[in-house]
Amino acid sequence: MTTPNPVPDSAIRGPVLTFTGDPFASSVEDTMLYEPDAIVAFGKGVITHFGPVDQIQPQLPKDLKIRNYGPDALITAGFLDSHVHFPQTPMIAAFGEQLLDWLNKYTFPTERKYADKAFAASVANVFLNECLKNGITTSCVYCTVFPQSVDALFEEAERLGMRMAAGKVLMNRNAPDYLLDTTQSGYDDSKALIGKWHNRGRLMYAITPRFAPTSTADQLESAGALWDEFPDCYMQTHVSENLDEVAWVKELFPDRKGYLDVYDHSKLCRPRAVFGHGIHLTEDELCCMHHTGSAISHCPTSNFFLGSGYLDVYRAKDPKRPVRVGIGTDLGAGTSFSILSTLNEAYKAAQLNGKALTAGHAFYFATRGTARAMYIDDKVGSIAPGMEADVIVLDMKSTPIIDYRMQFVEDIHEALFIQMTLGDDRAVQATYIAGKLQYEQTKTR
């Protein structure tokens, strides 16, 4: 017996884009749904109605106000970010260095400041406001080693009603002393945070070993044991981002077959595991990710910024052993909060691998694809009755040059490609969280 959808209390109208499946598994034509004039109605935080105006309007209460965004808008599911470091917001665009030097020179000194809860709260406010401005309604977030940084982020996300996954970084070696925990303290702090925040409203906890070089084998095994205790949590970490890092992991864990095997040995490869980057994974490692239900977060702006390489998403999504893949901004090595800008770089990464990432595939990544990578595609990432009402409205003519270019567009695929190539935060008109308008752009042009 299905539960009837609640009575709608608000509705919006305009062109709507959503996905009904994975275009990598079939085709964009079979999975992309575009309605040029549709209504999306909300009630009690979920989508109650969706479809063409002439079909949906007669089903709605006669006195329900419908906000019409007009033909130059695009309504879509909120964007998701599967890999981001909120503590690095103050150091975005820090010059130079590759991964390991960049961590030591910029990242670790910045993260030291999060021992101060008030500082962490101030950054959490900026970070989540920027997410809303960029149409990001759900993120998988790294905090710092300090539990109070997790509290600060979750407190603000809860106030906004956002669906958010986050966790305390576990890190007991190969970092400054002021950022180290121990295997026991990391376990105890994480367990306490799970008890406090996991499944509280729309919040979800992610067990977060930073990456293999900063955790002993004992700490990684402790993380696996904690996940056994709370199997519906997430686990997030990094893998195979940089060739020097891959070589370092081999030195640190000489008994393991490779980088991913370090995690798999500790029972950290399974559903709801989100591995940042995965650029240099071998075929055997990709097969392991497929069989364990693990996911890769593709972070192209960060990968280009640090000179790490470029993920071959078509190889990762090979139909013979497809791996779940989501998109990630990876701030602060990532250079933009904008998912549109991130898709622009994902297109370039695909080109460097001899492929072309279509706009349909890219917008799938930004919405349903990342929701699937995070195992929440039954809740967010699509527009359909019963889904949570995390919805954004894009302005398809957000800048003068985009407005000019859109005069020559022949179909929705070309229009979407222009948005992901030229668009940024100025394209986001409105962000609805659980049906509530939480951000609206003030137009200046």
Side-chain angles (χ1 to χ4, degrees), residues 431-444:
T431 302
Y432 290 83
I433 300 292
K436 182 180 178 182
L437 182 62
Q438 288 286 16
Y439 167 75
E440 186 168 27
Q441 185 178 153
T442 302
K443 287 293 182 184
T444 55

Side-chain angles (χ1 to χ4, degrees), residues 1 27 47 59 73 114 165 176 197 204 211 224 321 348 352 438:
M1 180 177 173
S27 70
I47 295 170
Q59 302 175 30
Y114 290 81
W197 293 110
M204 307 169 291
F211 70 150
R321 47 106 194 95
K348 294 170 187 174
L352 287 168
Q438 288 286 16

Side-chain angles (χ1 to χ4, degrees), residues 83-88 103 107-108 111 114 141-150 166-173 175 179-183 185-187 189-190 193 205-212 214-215 219-220 223 236-238:
H83 184 100
V84 62
H85 298 257
F86 107 83
Q88 294 177 18
L103 286 169
T107 305
F108 294 151
E111 292 193 4
Y114 290 81
V141 187
Y142 289 65
C143 300
T144 70
V145 73
F146 304 111
Q148 55 268 38
S149 68
V150 183
K168 176 201 122 60
V169 165
L170 300 171
M171 187 161 59
N172 68 352
R173 66 167 174 174
L179 283 184
L180 295 181
D181 57 11
T182 67
T183 296
S185 72
Y187 170 89
D189 288 344
S190 298
L193 288 164
Y205 194 82
I207 299 164
T208 308
R210 185 180 210 110
F211 70 150
T214 50
S215 286
Q219 184 168 62
L220 294 175
Q236 59 181 349
T237 190
H238 300 76

Side-chain angles (χ1 to χ4, degrees), residues 383-398:
I383 294 182
M387 299 293 285
E388 294 173 3
D390 289 353
V391 175
I392 64 172
V393 184
L394 300 180
D395 176 1
M396 300 292 274
K397 297 182 177 180
S398 60

Side-chain angles (χ1 to χ4, degrees), residues 107-183:
T107 305
F108 294 151
T110 299
E111 292 193 4
R112 183 178 198 171
K113 299 175 182 177
Y114 290 81
D116 178 356
K117 170 75 180 296
F119 179 80
S122 71
V123 179
N125 180 269
V126 171
F127 170 78
L128 290 174
N129 280 336
E130 285 297 316
C131 288
L132 295 175
K133 283 173 60 178
N134 285 277
I136 297 169
T137 54
T138 291
S139 300
C140 201
V141 187
Y142 289 65
C143 300
T144 70
V145 73
F146 304 111
Q148 55 268 38
S149 68
V150 183
D151 290 334
L153 182 76
F154 274 145
E155 286 166 10
E156 182 66 8
E158 183 176 55
R159 185 185 71 79
L160 294 165
M162 297 177 79
R163 179 164 288 287
M164 189 72 53
K168 176 201 122 60
V169 165
L170 300 171
M171 187 161 59
N172 68 352
R173 66 167 174 174
N174 291 327
D177 289 345
Y178 55 76
L179 283 184
L180 295 181
D181 57 11
T182 67
T183 296

Side-chain angles (χ1 to χ4, degrees), residues 209-232:
R210 185 180 210 110
F211 70 150
T214 50
S215 286
T216 59
D218 180 62
Q219 184 168 62
L220 294 175
E221 288 167 12
S222 173
L226 181 62
W227 203 4
D228 284 341
E229 292 180 59
F230 301 96
D232 65 337

